């Protein structure tokens, strides 16, 4: 089957491309780009006013399968991801059971393949059962298709064990991913600041993040491991990454879309939909994160998608589960940042696609003739309401439920096949 | 109307839940104090019962132990002639795995009119009023380290009865501010009632971050904290704070922050001393002060019943009014003419 997408704004920051053009897709690949008025194909799409970019890769997501299907299944959540423009996802290793064995990795990968929406490039557990005491079978897990190793939201308290983790990863040139938060200092429910104090909620200080970043940076520097930090939240955290990069370290970082859009004041009135870990911080932190994306200190934007059933969020704040179901809201949130002048579409696409793909697999997908047609077509002006009939994630923890939103994916292609069409 | 006022008041501005003084205006707080004043008189009569809540069911839901608060709420409800049921949830449903949501919905199905809620999670009463049983009047009897509005308001009643106006007063709140659910509400209430000099005194380990944003000054020394104040409010120090590394020892705490006669002499000569109780003699306050002429500690207990009667009767009446309005709206669809 062939397809011509006509009149879209093609954006590919990896090639400094930003122009209105047509694209011809055939046999799963990009066949031609340019003025293609003379050509015809099986399917013609009028994409006037729409944005066509390389498809997105998510560096941090939770799909809930295998044992938490009340929250989401691989089929439901990968479909929701496709509707947000993703073709590749890196699920976090804190699955149930935990992603510390080749069989779990193979199972989740094959479930996603059967559903047909996204390819999984899992992050495996750095230690067995994420317990922080024994190394996981890293080499075998890499063979099974993992792109890196992380201990998810669990600290490795013992520095000797952590050193061995890094040394072993260095042996095989494997990447270590870090969700930077000191476990003891991070034992709270929201950012430690005026809002937490007034609401009487236990606060999490910024140094919970910076201490952990500094600690891991030292191990990365000592062992030469290529490191990646997931979900930075603070201005001070961004500064640490900036310094490490300036020193020439092989380190990258991402930020969750929630942290780019919301601050701790959203929790006012005990709004459990904004109960996330790591916590939403202050306006000055949010600003520093946006600057980090703009100047490239922060390489990527991840979804940090964490779907929940409604009961998980229906309790006194501290007792509610953390996380937001993000796939249904992601593109409207990006569009909102573009609208307010906080972000540009090229910067967003660089962070959601070019850089994230490079971090996960080493090379970027790009809008290049002959490349696999992994594409996302976005209608930035489409207006819609997020409700039960329009959402695809099984998660009911949609912070923007019932709100009028602007911006939506029109079409997602993976290797030329349509994985989502509105 | 701000969100907290919206949640706590009926459309016509009557109290229907009492979750925190935050968001309520000065007129409402003064009405609560005026109503409480009238109940102080009832407490002094030979027959202490009034029929304001006759036929109404009040359920005391204590998810966390508190003998003193619980008994004053029980007594207050009984003096208002309500039927009172007290549930110690820790030993009942919650331990069988029933969620807070299910417990409350069951109690609502029993046609309860008011829940008095104490819970260890900040925002618990708020959550119940907003999402679980908005048609049952909710009185917050303490949630986590967030709020304890009846305690804060009985402290305001004590101050008003003994000091008159709030405007010229300097008030020091001393001790474990970090874990105190009362301190936050005292600050809100004092500010709304016109007090402009509120000082918090504690070591940094027991001082919440960014508390200055609430319009207070912070002091790490008792000497600057209570110098020339009119009111000293001492907070209870939980002994487990030593084990969890907030403080080195009870002895050091008393030496630096304990209220002694000598220290109290730095306050105004007619300063009053308050404490929510139960007091730790020799840890936060010495007996000579606790039992001395400036101490209001036992007066506070008596005012506590009056204040709780005031809030319960006001919220019940507001909630009943709200129910009637809603029932009326439900039975008369817009556009239909009733003659």
């Amino acid at each position: 089957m062939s397809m011509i997408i006509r009149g879209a704004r093609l954006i590919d920051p990896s090639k400094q491309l930003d122009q209105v053009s047509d694209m011809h897709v055939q046999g799963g690949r990009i066949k031609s780009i340019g003025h293609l008025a003379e050509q015809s194909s099986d399917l013609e799409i009028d994409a006037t006013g729409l944005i066509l970019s390389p498809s997105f890769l998510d560096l941090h997501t939770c799909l809930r399968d295998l044992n938490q299907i009340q929250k989401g299944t691989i089929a439901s959540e990968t479909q929701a991801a496709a509707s947000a423009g993703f073709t590749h996802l890196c699920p976090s290793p804190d699955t149930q059971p935990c992603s510390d064995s080749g069989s779990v990795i193979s199972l989740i990968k094959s479930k996603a393949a059967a559903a047909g929406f996204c390819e999984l490039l899992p992050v495996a557990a750095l230690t067995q059962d994420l317990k922080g005491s024994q190394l996981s079978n890293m080499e075998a897990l890499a063979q099974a298709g993992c792109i890196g190793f992380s201990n998810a939201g669990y600290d490795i308290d013992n520095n000797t064990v952590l050193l061995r983790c890094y040394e072993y990863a260095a042996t095989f040139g494997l990447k270590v991913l870090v969700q930077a938060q000191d476990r003891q200092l991070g034992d709270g429910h929201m950012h430690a600041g005026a809002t937490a104090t007034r609401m009487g909620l236990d606060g999490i200080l910024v140094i919970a993040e910076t201490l952990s970043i500094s600690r891991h940076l030292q191990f990365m520097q000592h062992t030469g491991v290529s490191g990646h930090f997931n979900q930075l939240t603070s201005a001070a955290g961004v500064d640490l990454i900036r310094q490490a990069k300036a020193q020439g370290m092989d380190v990258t970082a991402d930020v969750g879309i929630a942290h780019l859009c919301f601050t701790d004041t959203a929790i006012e009135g005990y709004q459990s939909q904004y109960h996330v870990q790591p916590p939403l911080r202050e306006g000055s932190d949010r600003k520093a994160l946006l600057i980090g994306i703009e100047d490239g200190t922060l390489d990527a934007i991840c979804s940090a998608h964490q779907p929940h059933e409604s009961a998980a969020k229906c309790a006194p704040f501290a007792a509610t589960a953390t996380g937001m179901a993000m796939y249904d809201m992601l593109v409207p949130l990006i569009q909102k940042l573009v609208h307010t002048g906080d972000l540009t579409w090229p910067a967003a696409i660089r962070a959601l696609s070019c850089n994230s793909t490079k971090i996960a697999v080493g090379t970027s997908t790009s809008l290049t003739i002959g490349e696999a047609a992994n594409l996302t077509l976005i209608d930035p002006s489409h207006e819609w309401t997020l409700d039960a009939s329009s959402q695809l994630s099984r998660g009911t923890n949609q912070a923007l439920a019932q709100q009028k939103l602007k911006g939506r994916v029109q079409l997602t292609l993976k290797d030329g096949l349509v994985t989502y069409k509105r | 109307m701000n969100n907290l006022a919206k949640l706590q008041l009926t459309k016509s501005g009557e109290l229907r839940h009492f979750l925190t003084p935050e968001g309520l205006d000065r007129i409402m707080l003064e009405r609560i104090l005026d109503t409480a004043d009238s109940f102080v008189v009832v407490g002094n009569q030979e027959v202490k019962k009034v029929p304001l809540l006759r036929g109404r069911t009040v359920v005391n839901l204590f998810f966390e132990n508190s003998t003193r608060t619980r008994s004053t709420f029980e007594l207050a409800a009984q003096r208002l002639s309500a039927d009172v049921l007290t549930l110690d949830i820790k030993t009942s449903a919650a331990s069988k795995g029933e969620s807070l949501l299910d417990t409350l919905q069951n109690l609502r199905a029993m046609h309860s009119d008011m829940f008095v809620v104490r819970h260890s999670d900040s925002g618990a009463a708020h959550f119940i009023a907003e999402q679980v049983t908005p048609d049952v009047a909710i009185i917050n009897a303490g949630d986590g380290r967030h709020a304890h509005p009846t305690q804060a308001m009985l402290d305001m009643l004590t101050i008003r009865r003994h000091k008159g106006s709030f405007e010229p007063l300097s008030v020091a709140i001393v001790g474990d501010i970090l874990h105190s659910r009362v301190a936050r509400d005292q600050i809100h209430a004092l500010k709304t009632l016109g007090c402009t000099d509120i000082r918090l005194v504690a070591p940094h380990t027991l001082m919440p971050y960014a508390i200055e944003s609430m319009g207070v000054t912070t002091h790490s020394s008792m000497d600057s904290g209570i110098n020339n104040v009119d009111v000293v409010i001492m907070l209870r120090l939980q002994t487990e704070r030593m084990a969890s590394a907030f403080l080195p020892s009870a002895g050091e705490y008393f030496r630096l922050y304990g209220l002694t006669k000598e220290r109290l002499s730095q306050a105004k000569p007619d300063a009053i001393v308050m404490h929510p109780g139960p007091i730790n003699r020799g840890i936060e306050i010495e007996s000579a002060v606790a039992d001395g002429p400036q101490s209001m500690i036992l007066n506070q207990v008596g005012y506590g019943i009056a204040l709780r009667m005031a809030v319960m009767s006001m919220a019940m009446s507001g909630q009943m009014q709200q129910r009637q309005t809603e029932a009326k709206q439900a039975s008369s669809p817009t556009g239909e003419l009733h003659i």
Side-chain angles (χ1 to χ4, degrees):
Chain A
M1 194 191 80
S2 70
M3 175 191 295
I4 292 183
I5 301 166
R6 294 196 187 275
R9 176 183 168 194
L10 270 58
I11 301 179
D12 181 357
S14 73
K15 298 175 64 191
Q16 280 88 44
L17 175 72
D18 187 349
Q19 67 179 55
V20 174
S21 189
D22 305 336
M23 181 185 284
H24 188 192
V25 174
Q26 192 172 40
R29 299 198 167 265
I30 298 170
K31 194 175 176 219
S32 50
I33 295 172
H35 187 62
L36 307 173
E38 307 297 309
Q39 288 198 35
S40 61
S41 70
D42 306 337
L43 184 64
E44 301 255 337
I45 292 173
D46 177 10
T48 313
L50 274 51
I51 292 167
L52 183 61
S53 79
S55 65
F56 303 162
L57 180 144
D58 194 355
L59 284 167
H60 186 72
T61 182
C62 297
L63 305 175
R64 302 309 187 193
D65 242 339
L66 305 161
N67 265 340
Q68 300 178 86
I69 56 171
Q70 77 279 17
K71 296 178 190 290
T73 64
I74 285 174
S76 70
E77 302 318 295
T78 54
Q79 185 180 17
S83 80
F86 290 97
T87 52
H88 295 80
L89 310 176
C90 304
S92 177
D94 48 354
T95 45
Q96 286 183 12
C98 154
S99 299
D100 64 354
S101 73
S103 55
V104 170
I105 299 297
S106 306
L107 183 58
I108 62 173
K109 277 178 75 78
S110 65
K111 277 190 162 214
F117 298 108
C118 293
E119 182 179 346
L120 299 193
L121 304 165
V123 176
L126 188 59
T127 59
Q128 290 185 26
D129 208 17
L130 297 169
K131 289 218 168 104
S133 50
Q134 209 171 343
L135 309 193
S136 64
N137 294 309
M138 290 186 213
E139 208 279 334
L141 285 159
Q143 293 296 332
C146 293
I147 56 110
F149 297 83
S150 159
N151 225 50
Y154 305 90
D155 250 1
I156 296 172
D157 294 334
N158 186 321
N159 280 325
T160 307
V161 173
L162 189 56
L163 175 65
R164 303 283 182 256
C165 288
Y166 275 101
E167 285 176 337
Y168 197 75
T171 312
F172 303 101
L174 304 174
K175 187 182 283 295
V176 173
L177 295 90
V178 179
Q179 290 179 38
Q181 186 157 284
D182 180 84
R183 193 168 54 111
Q184 279 99 15
L185 286 176
D187 185 22
H189 302 294
M190 67 176 291
H191 169 66
T195 308
T197 287
R198 216 177 52 257
M199 292 172 63
L201 291 169
D202 290 349
I204 302 172
L205 288 167
V206 166
I207 57 166
E209 174 168 296
T210 50
L211 264 180
S212 176
I213 293 175
S214 306
R215 176 175 179 239
H216 282 276
L217 280 173
Q218 293 211 32
F219 284 109
M220 288 168 189
Q221 192 159 36
H222 176 74
T223 55
V225 159
S226 160
H228 177 77
F229 290 90
N230 283 126
Q231 283 188 280
L232 257 66
T233 68
S234 69
V238 176
D239 279 343
L240 286 174
I241 301 298
R242 193 173 282 125
Q243 285 162 23
K245 286 188 168 185
Q247 287 167 19
M249 281 184 66
D250 182 10
V251 61
T252 52
D254 69 49
V255 54
I257 180 72
H259 294 89
L260 284 181
C261 297
F262 309 117
T263 60
D264 63 340
T265 54
I267 294 166
E268 198 79 59
Y270 301 98
Q271 297 302 318
S272 62
Q273 300 296 11
Y274 294 91
H275 188 193
V276 299
Q277 277 284 19
L280 300 172
R281 299 206 183 268
E282 295 179 8
S284 53
D285 294 300
R286 176 176 167 260
K287 193 151 242 169
L289 294 168
L290 286 162
I291 291 169
I293 287 289
E294 192 183 306
D295 71 15
T297 303
L298 298 179
D299 304 86
I301 298 172
C302 70
S303 75
H305 177 71
Q306 286 175 280
H308 287 292
E309 75 283 22
S310 60
K313 287 286 189 185
C314 200
F317 189 86
T320 56
T322 58
M324 289 184 182
M326 196 46 89
Y327 285 139
D328 292 286
M329 310 190 293
L330 186 120
V331 169
L333 285 174
I334 297 279
Q335 169 57 30
K336 201 169 177 196
L337 291 173
V338 171
H339 178 75
T340 52
D342 289 317
L343 191 68
T344 61
W345 273 109
I349 289 162
R350 190 181 65 200
L352 284 161
S353 174
C354 312
N355 288 353
S356 58
T357 311
K358 194 149 191 227
I359 290 164
V361 297
T363 52
S364 298
T365 48
S366 69
L367 302 184
T368 305
I369 294 166
E371 285 271 314
N374 290 319
L375 302 170
T376 298
L377 185 64
I378 297 159
D379 183 348
S381 55
H382 178 77
E383 290 183 19
W384 59 295
T385 302
L386 175 57
D387 57 23
S389 68
S390 58
Q391 81 173 59
L392 285 171
S393 167
R394 193 171 280 193
T396 57
N397 49 327
Q398 309 266 2
L400 304 181
Q402 305 307 325
Q403 290 190 29
K404 275 216 167 103
L405 306 175
K406 199 170 173 186
R408 208 170 184 186
V409 168
Q410 177 92 14
L411 180 75
T412 308
L413 295 184
K414 183 175 180 300
D415 295 320
L417 296 175
V418 175
T419 52
Y420 173 75
K421 187 170 191 309
R422 185 172 64 77
Chain B
M1 231 190 269
N2 62 62
N3 285 338
L4 277 169
K6 241 185 233 169
L7 182 61
Q8 299 186 85
L9 302 179
T10 64
K11 284 210 172 95
S12 53
E14 300 297 320
L15 196 70
R16 65 188 286 221
H17 303 299
F18 191 42
L19 310 173
T20 165
E22 188 184 358
L24 300 181
D25 63 10
R26 182 167 182 164
I27 296 168
M28 176 54 73
L29 297 192
E30 283 177 346
R31 267 182 61 196
I32 293 172
L33 296 180
D34 293 344
T35 314
D37 264 331
S38 71
F39 285 122
V40 173
V41 181
V42 173
N44 296 332
Q45 288 168 358
E46 212 161 290
V47 177
K48 296 179 176 62
K49 270 203 176 182
V50 290
L52 286 169
L53 296 194
R54 182 179 292 158
R56 303 288 176 207
T57 306
V58 174
V59 184
N60 284 326
L61 290 165
F62 278 66
F63 295 88
E64 189 187 77
N65 295 332
S66 163
T67 318
R68 184 176 298 226
T69 304
R70 197 172 86 171
S71 44
T72 53
F73 267 110
E74 267 178 36
L75 210 50
Q78 283 164 359
R79 289 196 182 163
L80 291 165
S81 312
D83 297 322
V84 188
L85 173 69
T86 295
L87 290 179
D88 187 358
I89 307 284
K90 256 210 165 135
T91 58
S92 62
S95 56
K96 292 178 193 158
E98 188 177 58
S99 80
L100 176 61
L101 206 68
D102 294 329
T103 306
L104 291 162
Q105 276 165 353
N106 273 288
L107 287 164
R108 178 213 209 170
M110 297 174 200
H111 301 290
S112 308
D113 299 300
M114 175 177 282
F115 292 156
V116 175
V117 184
R118 162 155 316 202
H119 198 285
S120 57
D121 280 334
S122 296
H126 197 116
F127 165 71
I128 295 165
E130 189 169 57
Q131 293 189 47
V132 189
T133 54
D135 52 347
V136 176
I138 308 297
I139 307 291
N140 186 2
D143 63 323
R145 52 174 82 164
H146 169 237
H148 193 357
T150 57
Q151 176 68 44
M153 287 305 288
L154 81 85
D155 295 337
M156 296 309 114
L157 185 65
T158 312
I159 295 172
R160 197 174 77 165
R161 286 179 72 92
H162 293 271
K163 287 282 160 201
S165 155
F166 288 89
E167 267 89 355
L169 297 183
S170 296
V171 179
I173 305 172
V174 182
D176 187 358
I177 316 280
L178 180 66
H179 299 94
S180 174
R181 49 175 64 134
V182 191
R184 286 164 179 77
D185 275 355
Q186 285 166 337
I187 296 167
H188 289 306
L190 282 167
K191 279 184 61 93
T192 305
L193 290 165
C195 179
T196 52
D197 183 13
I198 306 167
R199 310 179 197 174
L200 306 183
V201 187
H204 290 190
T205 48
L206 297 177
M207 193 72 89
Y209 301 106
I211 189 93
E212 297 85 356
S213 63
M214 290 178 75
V216 297
T217 54
T218 56
H219 302 258
S220 37
S221 117
M222 266 299 244
D223 295 336
S224 74
I226 68 167
N227 183 40
N228 222 22
V229 296
D230 303 276
V231 179
V232 183
I233 301 174
M234 300 301 296
L235 299 174
R236 178 178 161 77
L237 185 78
Q238 309 279 354
T239 45
E240 62 260 30
R241 303 297 172 230
M242 266 63 83
S244 44
F246 285 97
L247 293 170
S249 67
E252 170 131 325
Y253 182 76
F254 183 70
R255 189 171 64 77
L256 295 168
Y257 297 98
L259 188 63
T260 58
K261 256 180 115 170
E262 192 193 350
R263 241 182 211 138
L264 184 58
S265 66
Q266 295 178 70
K268 287 201 180 131
D270 62 344
I272 57 170
V273 175
M274 293 161 54
H275 190 297
I279 57 175
N280 293 309
R281 290 168 189 268
I283 294 180
E284 67 252 1
I285 191 164
E286 77 176 3
S287 289
V289 176
D291 306 328
Q294 290 167 277
S295 168
M296 293 292 134
I297 297 173
L298 291 178
N299 305 48
Q300 286 175 269
V301 180
Y303 299 152
I305 296 169
L307 190 280
R308 282 166 186 137
M309 287 171 76
V311 169
M312 289 169 106
S313 58
M314 287 170 73
M316 187 72 89
S317 137
Q319 187 65 268
M320 291 304 139
Q321 217 179 68
Q322 179 79 10
R323 278 195 211 171
Q324 279 166 9
T325 316
E326 279 166 15
K328 225 184 241 172
Q329 278 167 355
S331 64
S332 61
T334 45
E336 200 177 321
L337 194 61
H338 284 265
I339 302 170

